[in-house]
Amino acid sequence: MNFKVKNLGLLNQAEIEIGDLTILCGENNSGKTYAVYAFYGFWRLFNENITELILRHKDSFIQKEKNIFAIEEAKFIQIHANLKNEMNKLYKNKLAKVLGGNADIYKDAKFELSFEILNYEKIFKQKNFFFNVYKKDENIIFEFFDRDDLSSQNIHLFLVYLIIRRLFYRHQINIISVERTGIAMFYSELNISRNNILAGLTQNNQGNIIDNINNYIQKVSRYPLPITDNMSLINDISIVTNQKSFIVESKNNEILDLLWQIVGGKYIINDYGLQFATDTKQKILQKHKTINIQQTSSSVKSLFLLDLYIRFQAQKGDILIIDEPELNLHPKNQILLARLLVMLVNIGIKVFISTHSDYILREFSSCICLKNVSDENLKNLKEYNKQMQLDANKVRAYQTIKIRDEITTESVKITQEDGIFMDTFNDIIREQNRNQDKIYEQILKSQS
């Protein structure tokens, strides 16, 4: 799976292949966040775009009997072949919704995602609880099972929706935006605001309520979709925390213990809002200090959405995007966080980050090199475990560069022996060392 962008904010062009771990580095104002958000938006709006495609193609499916529909095989193959292009075209018109701002800003922008579509022949081998699929004469036949909860008016559209959905392997996608610190801090205020909005809407007469909802949506649409999604997640936190991630269900204590080590306590949602108990792992005891999230450190606020994802949301096959995972973290915790992200990759979660952190990048390299250590010798490295060994083939790394006043991306060399070769940090470190040497030289001259 890879995506290409052109004229997306400050990013003139880029092509990025998504690995199990994807890293995007570069200077400030080089378009990294635009690229990350655009990729997120495609999967986030998947259902919305699929619905539009259904409306385009529904008339190609002809009802033969009560529960049997047919389509010419040639038409079905053509629909299947064009799906990626159609999805990309539909999504281009949604970039303003994803990135925020006026649509005119993105009139020259291009986004194209190449992704996996179910092989045409495999459609006949897929197990499905709703319909059987088989070939007959020159048609594809869909024999729909009886469903009491579907009326005759919507059964047609529902079937077409299922058919087109079955053609895709869809990733569940989650994002932790760089604005997460403020979103966590204003948890209570967000809930108050939501309740006030709902109260205001319900006080209107029935004839105006739809207009009021539309007006409200237009007001908040200036914010990028990842930010509004993070805000919605906070608003739905009582529902989210009633679930369990597959990490918790499988009792992966190595990941949970490392998460606790980074966070340094336990987040609590109660009648007082969002609180944090320092040094708490499970039960809150009298010795543990509990404080409101507004009074916590910036690192505690920054880590809240990651903690929420790992404990309550994570499922195998997810894509987790984090914009600047190092935000507000001490270098020690940046290193631990890099190990945690590697562990997530190794249990089946794709991770995509944009970062400025040399600590995180170097630790990824260490985890790649760690793969060369035998199980026996790994025991001598107390800081690491087998879940932190990273296969270089799973990693894709990119840095933004400026060529003749245009910003683009280039892939970065990665080897199993030496890890990741990222010049964007190494050049700065070497320059800093040279400057330090020059300063010491002038100190010595000044003292002579």
Side-chain angles (χ1 to χ4, degrees):
M1 175 168 51
N2 64 74
F3 68 94
K4 300 176 184 178
V5 298
K6 284 188 177 181
N7 303 319
L8 196 62
L10 294 172
L11 192 59
N12 298 100
Q13 62 179 359
E15 182 172 357
I16 295 175
E17 181 183 358
I18 301 298
D20 292 330
L21 172 62
T22 309
I23 306 158
L24 180 58
C25 298
E27 296 183 13
N28 298 119
N29 296 318
S30 59
K32 299 185 304 299
T33 296
Y34 272 88
V36 168
Y37 281 10
F39 175 75
Y40 168 78
F42 185 94
W43 292 112
R44 170 63 177 78
L45 299 178
F46 182 90
N47 283 337
E48 185 177 301
N49 289 334
I50 278 289
T51 301
E52 290 188 37
L53 285 176
I54 289 168
L55 293 174
R56 289 185 181 186
H57 296 296
K58 67 182 180 68
D59 292 336
S60 296
F61 296 82
I62 308 300
Q63 186 169 6
K64 296 291 187 181
E65 298 178 22
K66 178 185 176 184
N67 291 329
I68 294 179
F69 292 79
I71 182 173
E72 292 178 15
E73 184 176 9
K75 279 188 179 180
F76 187 72
I77 292 173
Q78 193 61 47
I79 291 172
H80 180 269
N82 291 339
L83 277 173
K84 274 194 290 193
N85 289 335
E86 289 192 68
M87 288 286 284
N88 283 322
K89 286 179 182 177
L90 284 173
Y91 180 59
K92 182 185 183 304
N93 298 325
K94 309 277 177 70
L95 281 174
K97 177 178 180 178
V98 173
L99 302 174
N102 193 293
D104 290 341
I105 300 172
Y106 309 106
K107 66 179 186 300
D108 296 323
K110 293 182 180 179
F111 180 95
E112 181 181 322
L113 180 67
S114 297
F115 53 96
E116 302 165 10
I117 295 182
L118 184 66
N119 183 284
Y120 164 67
E121 290 296 333
K122 287 184 179 179
I123 197 77
F124 307 106
K125 300 176 183 178
Q126 294 289 306
K127 292 182 179 179
N128 199 302
F129 297 107
F130 298 106
F131 55 84
N132 283 329
V133 187
Y134 54 90
K135 296 180 183 179
K136 186 177 180 182
D137 300 326
E138 293 183 351
N139 293 321
I140 308 294
I141 306 298
F142 298 87
E143 187 174 1
F144 195 66
F145 303 150
D146 284 327
R147 286 283 301 272
D148 294 335
D149 57 332
L150 292 173
S151 67
S152 58
Q153 285 79 19
N154 63 26
I155 192 171
H156 189 175
L157 274 179
F158 181 70
L159 174 62
V160 178
Y161 175 78
L162 286 175
I163 294 166
I164 295 181
R165 280 294 302 269
R166 295 299 291 182
L167 295 175
F168 288 90
Y169 172 67
R170 185 202 174 196
H171 295 278
Q172 184 65 38
I173 196 161
N174 297 270
I175 194 165
I176 299 174
S177 70
V178 76
E179 286 79 7
R180 56 189 175 273
T181 302
I183 291 170
M185 190 169 113
F186 294 109
Y187 164 74
S188 298
E189 286 77 3
L190 286 171
N191 277 316
I192 292 170
S193 177
R194 178 190 62 176
N195 292 336
N196 288 340
I197 290 164
L198 290 175
L201 290 174
T202 53
Q203 288 172 5
N204 286 277
N205 61 54
Q206 191 67 32
N208 294 330
I209 191 167
I210 299 300
D211 290 336
N212 284 311
I213 291 172
N214 287 332
N215 289 336
Y216 170 68
I217 290 172
Q218 289 172 6
K219 287 179 182 178
V220 301
S221 65
R222 66 183 182 274
Y223 299 111
L225 185 63
I227 298 173
T228 57
D229 280 355
N230 282 173
M231 292 170 67
S232 296
L233 179 64
I234 295 289
N235 274 331
D236 295 334
I237 200 167
S238 59
I239 298 171
V240 174
T241 52
N242 282 329
Q243 306 166 355
K244 284 184 180 179
S245 71
F246 85 106
I247 297 170
V248 171
E249 287 182 335
S250 63
K251 298 181 180 178
N252 193 322
N253 292 325
E254 288 85 357
I255 288 179
L256 296 174
D257 287 347
L258 183 54
L259 175 65
W260 178 81
Q261 189 179 346
I262 297 168
V263 171
K266 183 180 177 66
Y267 296 96
I268 307 156
I269 296 97
N270 54 29
D271 293 339
Y272 299 100
L274 177 59
Q275 296 187 310
F276 184 76
T278 55
D279 298 322
T280 307
K281 198 168 187 179
Q282 296 296 334
K283 294 183 179 179
I284 302 173
L285 305 176
Q286 192 171 4
K287 66 177 181 178
H288 296 132
K289 185 179 180 181
T290 302
I291 54 178
N292 292 331
I293 195 71
Q294 289 85 350
Q295 280 75 54
T296 62
S297 67
S298 56
S299 65
V300 169
K301 299 183 188 80
S302 179
L303 290 165
F304 171 57
L305 290 181
L306 179 63
D307 184 273
L308 195 69
Y309 172 77
I310 290 177
R311 293 185 182 279
F312 303 104
Q313 296 178 283
Q315 298 299 327
K316 279 190 177 181
D318 280 358
I319 297 177
L320 173 63
I321 298 175
I322 310 179
D323 198 4
E324 298 185 20
E326 69 272 14
L327 186 67
N328 299 320
L329 299 186
H330 185 276
K332 177 184 175 182
N333 270 352
Q334 292 184 40
I335 292 168
L336 294 179
L337 180 58
R339 296 175 191 169
L340 179 68
L341 295 179
V342 169
M343 294 172 79
L344 294 181
V345 167
N346 284 333
I347 61 171
I349 296 171
K350 290 182 182 292
V351 175
F352 184 10
I353 68 166
S354 69
T355 182
H356 301 289
S357 172
D358 178 51
Y359 296 102
I360 287 179
L361 195 72
R362 289 177 66 182
E363 194 59 23
F364 284 152
S365 283
S366 295
C367 290
I368 290 171
C369 296
L370 190 69
K371 184 80 171 173
N372 302 310
V373 178
S374 67
D375 291 351
E376 184 63 30
N377 289 327
L378 188 61
K379 297 174 185 177
N380 299 323
L381 300 172
K382 295 181 180 179
E383 300 87 353
Y384 297 94
N385 61 51
K386 196 168 181 63
Q387 288 191 54
M388 296 174 187
Q389 293 179 317
L390 182 57
D391 188 336
N393 292 319
K394 292 183 175 182
V395 185
R396 301 290 182 273
Y398 299 85
Q399 60 183 4
T400 57
I401 57 171
K402 198 168 188 177
I403 302 175
R404 295 188 294 275
D405 295 328
E406 287 199 350
I407 298 174
T408 184
T409 58
E410 67 175 10
S411 62
V412 173
K413 181 182 176 182
I414 304 170
T415 69
Q416 196 67 63
E417 293 74 25
D418 299 307
I420 305 168
F421 296 79
M422 185 73 76
D423 291 335
T424 187
F425 294 128
N426 294 336
D427 291 345
I428 297 299
I429 292 169
R430 284 192 288 267
E431 182 182 350
Q432 192 174 33
N433 289 336
R434 285 194 297 268
N435 289 337
Q436 194 172 43
D437 290 340
K438 290 178 183 177
I439 291 170
Y440 284 145
E441 181 183 351
Q442 296 308 312
I443 290 173
L444 291 174
K445 287 183 178 179
S446 299
Q447 293 175 343
S448 61

